[in-house]
Amino acid sequence: MSDNLTETAPLLVFGAHPDDIEFGCGGIVAQEARTGRPVHVIVCSRGEASTVGTPAIREAESRNAATILGANLEFVELDGDARLRSSAEHTITLARAIRRIRPGVVLAPSLSENQHPDHAQLGRLVRDAARLARFGGISELKALPPHSIRSVFYYALSLEAEPRDLSPILYDVSDSLAAWVAAMEAHASQVQAKPYVEMQLTRARLHGLSAGIGHAIALFPADPIVVNRLEPIATGARCF
């Protein structure tokens, strides 16, 4: 299995489309990168079905945004925008990336159904891939040693995509706001079409207000969080 995971183990973030990571959790990526943690982002399409922006434009926007956030970016070819399907082949492809990058924590789109279908589909694939990455007997993965991560967290791209059956962890991104906004604005083809930046900042501001801080992004744990001390989780989001 994997080596002991430290606080500097890479963060690995998956997005179905070129702007998903920036809009959904870009502030977290920026803040983790600022601490010196290696951050890898994997995008699973080039926005081929988008109403605005060509795949080439959207890929270039993603590369610019990743530079702003301080993340390493790669594209993984699956089925293309609006065509993502569940398959053992895709799960193994993502598990191979997890073994290669060896992250401590993985972020993926939420599983809520009321959103772009690619988002929930990718969330399920990543969840399953994180499990397969641990198994030593999968022939397609034997070129890389098995790897166990600490946690999978889901991020949401809209209010509707926030799971109603999971209590969120609120990640304070107040100190990384400028980098987050710049990364979102790097997707010029998209932000000129709809007020995506305002939508994400408003949602983050509401989460922040609920916790008595500036701006926060909600993460939803795929599994119960295990601790052996209460102090790291002593701050609750109750300020009223």
Side-chain angles (χ1 to χ4, degrees), residues 6 11 24 74 99 111 114 120 142 192 216:
T6 68
L11 170 66
E74 63 180 278
R99 286 195 179 189
L111 307 187
N114 189 18
K142 285 191 172 179
Q192 292 172 7

Side-chain angles (χ1 to χ4, degrees), residues 5-9 32 35 37 150:
L5 297 172
T6 68
E7 292 185 355
T8 57
E32 290 293 308
T35 69
R37 182 190 298 274
R150 283 180 172 172

Side-chain angles (χ1 to χ4, degrees), residues 58-76:
R58 301 200 64 191
E59 179 179 341
E61 290 173 345
S62 286
R63 296 192 183 282
N64 185 23
T67 299
I68 293 169
L69 294 176
N72 299 306
L73 167 68
E74 63 180 278
F75 286 85
V76 170

Side-chain angles (χ1 to χ4, degrees), residues 32 36 116 151 171 238:
E32 290 293 308
H116 192 301
S151 298
Y171 189 118
R238 291 185 181 273

